[in-house]
Amino acid sequence: MKENKKSVILFAGTTEGRLLAEYLQELNQPFVICVATRYARDLLEDICRPDHAGCMEIRQGRLDVTEMEQMFDELRPELVIDATHPYAAEVSENIRRACTAFPHILFIRCLRRESGAWDNPVIRVPDVRAAVQWLAGQGGNILVTTGVKELSAFCSLPDYRKRIYARVLPSVESVDMCRTLGYEGRHIIAMQGPFSMEMNLALLREFKCRFLVTKDGGKAGGMEEKLEASRAAGVRTLLIDRPKSAGGISLEDVKKQIKEWMEHER
């Protein structure tokens, strides 16, 4: 049986992205990883090594549709996997659109499962803007765990420099952006998650927070631990709904499709 040498492009930057990269490596399947930031690249460097047969290259940078199409034209992949964050709606749409220009490409979207129902109630809001509007009528400190890209929206809150504690990735870019927006010192919590219930609880208590703002990162994103901590701390949780998407399949189903694709292409 002839070994499959057709290439794969994996858009990563999440836990699922790394797990899929490791899976492709195990299968000796040639692939290129695409990530947006240097920090995401650093977390995957150990996968792309000369002694590994699968990963050929890690490419870093944010791409628009045209740039993705140019990359597809250059690399000629047969399979493109979108394992970006469930809230990265624009990126996912760009990947999907770029794939449509190449009818031979099989496109798969890996979508992290939502957390579902919880014991403690949450305040659901459609987006970050709605969360800020709700918080505008409230007083007290806020732990924001939505990521650095959404932090600018919270700058409209009164005394935001004193009230907001922003938990972001420990990268130079993230910290610099926080400072540009006016966040300083203890109000910048640069840490790599996911976090335990105890760590979340310690932060909520340390900064005397009344509110937690989060996205539904599912089990891989430590969603249950956040909610357990908010309940124990007696804070109210604002949950930003996931953007409407064209759907996707679970990590395990993606792995099955990869294996089936490889068997079919041999």
Side-chain angles (χ1 to χ4, degrees), residues 63-174:
L63 305 176
D64 59 23
V65 174
T66 300
E67 290 167 331
M68 288 180 186
E69 290 177 351
Q70 291 171 348
M71 180 175 65
F72 294 169
D73 190 52
E74 171 199 350
L75 299 177
R76 309 303 297 177
E78 296 291 325
L79 173 63
V80 172
I81 305 169
D82 174 12
T84 58
H85 197 275
Y87 284 80
E90 182 177 353
V91 175
S92 288
E93 180 59 23
N94 285 345
I95 298 170
R96 188 183 300 275
R97 287 176 57 193
C99 285
T100 61
F102 299 86
H104 68 281
I105 289 178
L106 172 63
F107 170 74
I108 303 176
R109 167 64 165 146
C110 181
L111 189 61
R112 184 181 297 174
R113 289 190 180 96
E114 294 184 84
S115 298
W118 305 283
D119 294 335
N120 55 323
V122 299
I123 301 165
R124 303 190 72 108
V125 290
D127 50 35
V128 173
R129 182 178 178 182
V132 172
Q133 290 175 342
W134 190 93
L135 288 165
Q138 307 292 326
N141 295 343
I142 308 161
L143 178 62
V144 176
T145 66
T146 56
V148 73
K149 290 194 293 183
E150 284 82 9
L151 275 182
S152 61
F154 294 90
C155 295
S156 63
L157 291 174
D159 296 326
Y160 78 92
R161 289 181 175 88
K162 296 180 180 180
R163 297 178 58 199
I164 300 293
Y165 291 86
R167 192 165 72 189
V168 299
L169 290 173
S171 67
V172 173
E173 296 86 355
S174 293

Side-chain angles (χ1 to χ4, degrees), residues 5 25 40 50 62 87 112 127 132 145 156 172 185 209 238 250 254 259:
K5 292 296 182 182
Q25 199 77 267
R62 303 183 190 280
Y87 284 80
R112 184 181 297 174
D127 50 35
V132 172
T145 66
S156 63
V172 173
C209 294
L238 275 72
S250 70
V254 172
K259 197 69 178 294

Side-chain angles (χ1 to χ4, degrees), residues 42-62:
D42 290 344
L43 294 177
L44 292 167
E45 286 286 2
D46 62 313
I47 290 179
C48 192
R49 299 199 320 242
D51 59 326
H52 287 183
C55 182
M56 300 183 293
E57 182 185 0
I58 301 177
R59 295 198 175 192
Q60 174 196 334
R62 303 183 190 280

Side-chain angles (χ1 to χ4, degrees), residues 115-237:
S115 298
W118 305 283
D119 294 335
N120 55 323
V122 299
I123 301 165
R124 303 190 72 108
V125 290
D127 50 35
V128 173
R129 182 178 178 182
V132 172
Q133 290 175 342
W134 190 93
L135 288 165
Q138 307 292 326
N141 295 343
I142 308 161
L143 178 62
V144 176
T145 66
T146 56
V148 73
K149 290 194 293 183
E150 284 82 9
L151 275 182
S152 61
F154 294 90
C155 295
S156 63
L157 291 174
D159 296 326
Y160 78 92
R161 289 181 175 88
K162 296 180 180 180
R163 297 178 58 199
I164 300 293
Y165 291 86
R167 192 165 72 189
V168 299
L169 290 173
S171 67
V172 173
E173 296 86 355
S174 293
V175 174
D176 284 348
M177 187 175 294
C178 287
R179 288 176 172 161
T180 298
L181 294 171
Y183 300 93
E184 292 287 350
R186 283 160 54 88
H187 294 266
I188 304 174
I189 308 168
M191 301 174 69
Q192 170 67 40
F195 302 93
S196 66
M197 179 272 193
E198 291 78 11
M199 176 61 77
N200 287 314
L201 180 58
L203 291 175
L204 290 169
R205 287 178 170 170
E206 172 67 21
F207 301 120
K208 298 178 174 59
C209 294
R210 288 189 60 206
F211 306 99
L212 167 68
V213 183
T214 186
K215 297 174 178 177
D216 184 0
K219 183 176 182 180
M223 186 63 190
E224 293 178 5
E225 290 79 3
K226 289 180 187 177
L227 293 175
E228 288 175 13
S230 68
R231 180 174 60 233
V235 308
R236 303 189 72 179
T237 300

